[in-house]
Amino acid sequence: MAEGEHEVRWDGLCSRDSSTRETALENIRQSVFRKAEYLRSMKETLHRPSDGLSNAVSLDGLNKLLAHLLMLSKRCPFKDVREKSGCILKSVEELGIRIPRPLGHGPSRFIPEKEILQVGSEDAQMHALFADSFAALGRLDNITLVMVFHPQYLESFLKTQHYLLQMDGPLPLHYRHYIGIMAAARHQCSYLVNLHVNDFLHVGGDPKWLNGLENAPQKLQNLGELNKVLAHRPWLITKEHIEGLLKAEEHSWSLAELVHAVVLLTHYHSLASFTFGCGISPEIHCDGGHTFRPPSVSNYCLCDITNGNHSVDEVQINSAGNISVSDSFFEVEALMEKMRQLQACRDEEEASQEEMASRFEMEKRESMFVFSSDDDEVTPTRDVSRHFEDTSYGYKDFSRHGMHVPTFRVQDYCWEDHGYSLVNRLYPDVGQLIDEKFHIAYNLTYNTMAMHKDVDTSMLRRAIWNYIHCMFGIRYDDYDYGEINQLLDRSFKVYIKTVVCTPEKVTKRMYDSFWRQFKHSEKVHVNLLLIEARMQAELLYALRAITRYMT
């Protein structure tokens, strides 16, 4: 009896038509009960020596189905699917079979669940967005549920990702998901790796490739070097990297395929930054997202405290060194005052080009000495590290050990004038989608800062964006880099650099330590700026190298 989860068809649940969903749910219910009854009958009969292995395989297959139903009961935007999935689980439990329950509390380990929009309580516009996402992916993932703080951005993000993964393009579908796995693995992001392993298999990918990069086609193995440099030191990318991929005889990439691959790599490097930066929890149906163990007697665990999911009378924690509310209130006031002073200085005088260049070099040098106090090496697990080569290769500042990398001047090669048109020419419509996403992230504002309203936040948003590009050696001639030190304090710089350069090292303490009076939605907004600025920086270096190869 075959017991794999993949024999059950979930596709019908993505339909907008309720009768199609009802038919699919009934088929799933019957399949689950066949497996449950089979297991129960096996327990009641005398065992043969070979039965132990057979039962284990059967139980594993059933457990995967039950975990998927648990996810649907909590995360499906269609109410009928949520309710029926819950009913199937309850019926299985009544047969005496243990059912799973969620681990953790919500989509993020950093943000209390009560502050995140609950599935089922969304408005009509949000429901349409959720339904679109569910129809495209067969899930409403935790990234989506955290990004939903900013619906305008989320809509653009989902549209872009859907186009990259599922619409017509130069690369076959299974290549796209495999490249997503390769990119996420560079940052040891098991969350994204697990999602795309499932997607890769779903579109017919060869399971052997998942045993390690050396089992994938040579053409994909050749992409490993570009993936490595792009993820950790994009300023080292040259036209020789491009030439090596385009002139590899029978394993050659076409220009259009390479642009598609580069966009996917940068998309997933950046998404790994968002995943770690927002403390995204494992999906309910994936490893680490559920448990079959019954809850403890007290139904209470330490992770509730660290996640902020507790009431005041439940637990009182005041760790040493905790900043009082009044102190963090003054932080906001001080930041507002600095913005006013900088605006006044701008109006009075403008620094010379020489002074601006000098301030950029100073900020670039200073950024090299911003380290997180949690700067230990994170050892990748075998599950993740098999998807890439050279596990010791990581982020290194561009001017270390006397190595000088020429400044990348945006005036010479920029996204708007050069990168956008190159992408759009070789991979139609994608340039437009990425451009829209950049603009939304950069210009997004609700004119608020913590408890203040009617605030022009453009100066602060530009400082964050330009600081990230400065860390990558990218300079804007018309920007005064002296503003960065005025607006971004050290704890914030540590968080930014960690999320952008070594996201696998982000901790909840880092997330909590910057902008203490700001709302979680504002911190998520910061992460959107970080991932889009990072993606644009990587794209600029890769596309400039492609342009140099072409000319």
Side-chain angles (χ1 to χ4, degrees):
M1 179 176 178
E3 300 294 338
E5 183 200 7
H6 294 291
E7 77 179 79
V8 175
R9 296 299 302 267
W10 304 97
D11 310 23
L13 302 183
C14 301
S15 172
R16 306 275 185 169
D17 176 53
S18 59
S19 61
T20 304
R21 295 197 299 270
E22 190 177 348
T23 303
L25 280 163
E26 179 54 28
N27 290 336
I28 290 165
R29 187 192 70 79
Q30 290 177 15
S31 180
V32 167
F33 275 89
R34 273 198 306 274
K35 293 175 192 300
E37 289 292 353
Y38 171 77
L39 267 174
R40 205 167 65 150
S41 67
M42 290 299 286
K43 279 182 182 175
E44 290 168 359
T45 57
L46 290 171
H47 292 353
R48 295 186 301 276
S50 61
D51 282 348
L53 179 61
S54 172
N55 285 353
V57 171
S58 299
L59 183 60
D60 184 57
L62 178 62
N63 283 350
K64 283 178 177 169
L65 288 177
L66 297 178
H68 204 113
L69 283 167
L70 177 67
M71 178 272 286
L72 292 170
S73 73
K74 304 287 185 188
R75 294 283 192 264
C76 183
F78 302 118
K79 187 179 179 185
D80 56 335
V81 176
R82 287 199 305 275
E83 291 177 348
K84 188 69 184 277
S85 299
C87 288
I88 295 172
L89 287 169
K90 195 165 172 35
S91 301
V92 169
E93 189 175 31
E94 286 166 359
L95 289 175
I97 291 171
R98 189 171 283 176
I99 63 168
R101 61 185 178 86
L103 269 178
H105 295 272
S108 165
R109 292 176 293 108
F110 297 172
I111 305 169
E113 187 173 17
K114 62 180 178 290
E115 297 197 30
I116 293 175
L117 181 67
Q118 301 297 302
V119 178
S121 61
E122 69 273 12
D123 62 22
Q125 183 186 1
M126 197 60 65
H127 177 76
L129 199 55
F130 280 177
D132 285 346
S133 178
F134 191 82
L137 297 169
R139 60 177 180 263
L140 199 55
D141 59 41
N142 289 339
I143 285 175
T144 298
L145 292 172
V146 172
M147 279 186 183
V148 85
F149 277 118
H150 305 286
Q152 187 192 2
Y153 175 85
L154 175 62
E155 187 171 5
S156 176
F157 171 85
L158 290 174
K159 202 172 19 169
T160 305
Q161 184 167 260
H162 177 64
Y163 197 95
L164 287 174
L165 291 176
Q166 291 172 293
M167 300 296 280
D168 286 344
L171 293 173
L173 297 183
H174 63 302
Y175 265 52
R176 302 180 199 194
H177 290 293
Y178 197 82
I179 290 167
I181 293 167
M182 289 172 65
R186 279 271 29 138
H187 282 307
Q188 302 157 41
C189 187
S190 55
Y191 172 87
L192 289 173
V193 168
N194 289 338
L195 284 186
H196 285 280
V197 161
N198 289 332
D199 292 341
F200 172 77
L201 293 171
H202 183 70
V203 297
D206 184 345
K208 291 195 194 75
W209 298 9
L210 300 174
N211 293 332
L213 185 59
E214 68 277 5
N215 297 291
Q218 188 62 46
K219 184 171 175 174
L220 282 166
Q221 291 184 45
N222 292 349
L223 196 64
E225 181 70 14
L226 184 67
N227 178 29
K228 176 177 86 172
V229 181
L230 202 52
H232 305 299
R233 306 174 205 174
W235 47 87
L236 297 181
I237 290 172
T238 63
K239 69 176 186 180
E240 282 72 32
H241 285 108
I242 306 306
E243 188 171 23
L245 289 163
L246 297 174
K247 293 188 171 178
E249 295 173 352
E250 73 267 29
H251 307 299
S252 291
W253 291 75
S254 71
L255 268 171
E257 287 174 333
L258 185 58
V259 166
H260 193 169
V262 161
V263 173
L264 283 167
L265 290 172
T266 58
H267 176 81
Y268 282 104
H269 294 155
S270 303
L271 203 51
S273 284
F274 186 86
T275 300
F276 286 115
C278 290
I280 300 294
S281 304
E283 294 299 324
I284 290 174
H285 62 299
C286 292
D287 287 347
H290 62 274
T291 180
F292 283 86
R293 291 194 306 275
S296 58
V297 178
S298 64
N299 201 23
Y300 169 78
C301 105
L302 193 60
C303 59
D304 294 344
I305 305 171
T306 57
N307 198 46
N309 287 294
H310 55 81
S311 59
V312 177
D313 57 350
E314 251 186 324
V315 60
Q316 291 288 342
I317 291 184
N318 187 11
S319 57
N322 213 23
I323 303 297
S324 70
V325 171
S326 60
D327 283 351
S328 52
F329 172 80
F330 286 120
E331 277 183 348
V332 180
E333 298 300 312
L335 182 54
M336 297 273 291
E337 181 55 33
K338 282 176 185 170
M339 286 165 67
R340 280 190 286 268
Q341 289 173 0
L342 284 170
Q343 189 58 55
C345 290
R346 266 189 197 173
D347 295 342
E348 285 172 20
E349 60 175 319
E350 193 172 305
S352 67
Q353 279 298 311
E354 291 76 16
E355 179 62 21
M356 301 263 260
S358 164
R359 288 174 187 175
F360 169 78
E361 290 300 330
M362 191 181 303
E363 191 56 53
K364 190 169 80 168
R365 276 196 306 277
E366 281 189 15
S367 77
M368 291 189 293
F369 300 103
V370 173
F371 294 108
S372 90
S373 52
D374 304 77
D375 212 12
D376 302 324
E377 286 303 314
V378 180
T379 308
T381 63
R382 167 67 187 150
D383 270 2
V384 171
S385 65
R386 62 184 168 195
H387 299 299
F388 64 94
E389 297 164 324
D390 197 357
T391 54
S392 63
Y393 191 94
Y395 173 79
K396 286 281 186 295
D397 291 306
F398 36 72
S399 297
R400 283 284 167 84
H401 313 303
M403 180 181 70
H404 178 69
V405 175
T407 293
F408 186 126
R409 293 176 72 252
V410 169
Q411 277 66 20
D412 299 333
Y413 194 96
C414 68
W415 167 256
E416 290 79 7
D417 296 338
H418 306 95
Y420 168 82
S421 57
L422 178 62
V423 171
N424 244 19
R425 190 166 84 236
L426 293 168
Y427 187 9
D429 298 330
V430 164
Q432 180 67 44
L433 289 166
I434 296 171
D435 189 60
E436 179 187 280
K437 190 159 60 78
F438 287 157
H439 277 284
I440 289 172
Y442 188 85
N443 296 312
L444 187 65
T445 183
Y446 306 96
N447 299 112
T448 60
M449 270 181 63
M451 69 295 291
H452 296 280
K453 295 180 178 172
D454 301 317
V455 183
D456 179 359
T457 61
S458 56
M459 181 184 287
L460 188 54
R461 283 180 278 120
R462 190 176 184 193
I464 294 168
W465 187 280
N466 287 3
Y467 179 58
I468 294 157
H469 280 198
C470 178
M471 290 191 305
F472 284 91
I474 297 170
R475 181 190 164 207
Y476 295 81
D477 286 354
D478 62 347
Y479 182 69
D480 181 355
Y481 286 84
E483 292 186 5
I484 288 173
N485 269 341
Q486 296 289 312
L487 297 174
L488 312 183
D489 65 24
R490 184 164 181 81
S491 64
F492 192 16
K493 283 183 168 182
V494 166
Y495 178 78
I496 291 172
K497 185 170 182 179
T498 310
V499 169
V500 171
C501 301
T502 52
E504 59 278 6
K505 295 180 182 178
V506 174
T507 63
K508 185 175 189 297
R509 190 168 56 76
M510 283 181 204
Y511 175 90
D512 289 338
S513 69
F514 82 91
W515 284 10
R516 285 164 284 224
Q517 275 295 100
F518 284 71
K519 302 182 189 79
H520 287 291
S521 61
E522 291 172 307
K523 292 193 171 192
V524 172
H525 185 180
V526 165
N527 276 297
L528 299 183
L529 277 170
L530 303 193
I531 68 171
E532 294 303 335
R534 175 188 178 168
M535 181 173 178
Q536 190 178 97
E538 285 190 28
L539 276 176
L540 283 173
Y541 278 109
L543 296 173
R544 183 180 69 169
I546 291 173
T547 300
R548 285 177 173 173
Y549 167 80
M550 291 168 69
T551 53

